[in-house]
Amino acid sequence: MNKTTHKSYTVKEATVKLMQFCAYRDRSHKEVEEKLKEMKMIPAAQEQIIIQLMQENFLNEERFARSFVRGKFRIKKWGRIKIKQELKLKDISNPIIKIALTEIDEDDYRSTLHEVAEKKSKLIKESNPFKKKKKLADHLLRRGYEASLVYEITDNYFS
């Protein structure tokens, strides 16, 4: 008999576990809800735990979103479009996404875009300037940068 046993948690135990989960790094409501479902907590207990996490500031959607924006921009060098899409996948509301995107300084954004473009353009092995320009533009668009900025920068590189 190979029966897998699943630990059951009291509300108090689950709350402590989730506090640790949220203290490790900022989490979205969706991540916390998924964790509670994984722990097989009933909906009433889930709601009670989420309310307590919010009251004690372990769970703060705006703080999560701001932290997410800073990390994805500074570390992964993603553009606003990709960051916004990822936040939507995490069920973050549009008003909070707008607030969170204010974490990106416009000058930093443009210089990061230039940095990413320069780095990539050196790696593209293509002799045809039109094909090279297209490959660079496609790369920047995939990284989530706005088309108007991408075409402005690729035109500057290949003019």
Side-chain angles (χ1 to χ4, degrees):
M1 262 198 322
N2 192 4
K3 199 168 83 173
T4 55
T5 53
H6 188 79
K7 178 174 177 17
S8 62
Y9 297 89
T10 65
V11 170
K12 193 175 177 75
E13 288 171 337
T15 304
V16 169
K17 194 165 177 63
L18 266 292
M19 283 176 170
Q20 292 166 339
F21 182 67
C22 292
Y24 179 70
R25 74 165 170 79
D26 284 319
R27 307 284 180 174
S28 69
H29 282 242
K30 187 176 183 181
E31 288 173 301
V32 169
E33 286 166 9
E34 286 168 359
K35 187 78 170 168
L36 286 165
K37 281 181 190 137
E38 242 175 62
M39 294 168 75
K40 308 272 191 261
M41 299 304 288
I42 61 168
Q46 288 181 26
E47 193 176 315
Q48 185 185 335
I49 292 167
I50 286 174
I51 289 168
Q52 187 177 347
L53 292 171
M54 288 168 68
Q55 285 171 337
E56 296 184 28
N57 210 18
F58 280 95
L59 188 57
N60 180 320
E61 199 94 292
E62 182 183 327
R63 187 180 62 216
F64 163 77
R66 286 176 176 273
S67 162
F68 185 88
V69 167
R70 284 191 307 271
K72 297 304 178 199
F73 174 64
R74 292 201 182 113
I75 297 161
K76 297 212 176 219
K77 303 194 184 320
W78 285 1
R80 288 189 196 104
I81 293 170
K82 186 168 183 170
I83 292 171
K84 194 177 192 175
Q85 287 169 336
E86 291 296 317
L87 285 170
K88 281 185 177 180
L89 288 175
K90 294 183 180 300
D91 293 338
I92 306 298
S93 69
N94 280 328
I96 289 182
I97 291 173
K98 274 195 171 101
I99 291 168
L101 287 171
T102 64
E103 290 292 309
I104 301 174
D105 175 76
E106 192 56 37
D107 292 339
D108 289 348
Y109 191 70
R110 286 176 176 272
S111 68
T112 299
L113 174 58
H114 277 279
E115 182 189 312
V116 171
E118 201 166 302
K119 193 173 174 185
K120 184 65 181 177
S121 81
K122 287 176 184 168
L123 298 173
I124 299 172
K125 305 281 183 251
E126 179 60 65
S127 54
N128 181 325
F130 295 107
K131 285 182 180 175
K132 188 169 184 166
K133 180 179 177 177
K134 183 180 178 345
K135 284 183 178 187
L136 178 60
D138 289 348
H139 174 75
L140 297 173
L141 291 168
R142 275 193 307 278
R143 291 294 282 272
Y145 289 94
E146 297 83 342
S148 58
L149 292 175
V150 166
Y151 295 123
E152 182 185 309
I153 205 169
T154 54
D155 285 347
N156 289 343
Y157 270 86
F158 301 100
S159 53

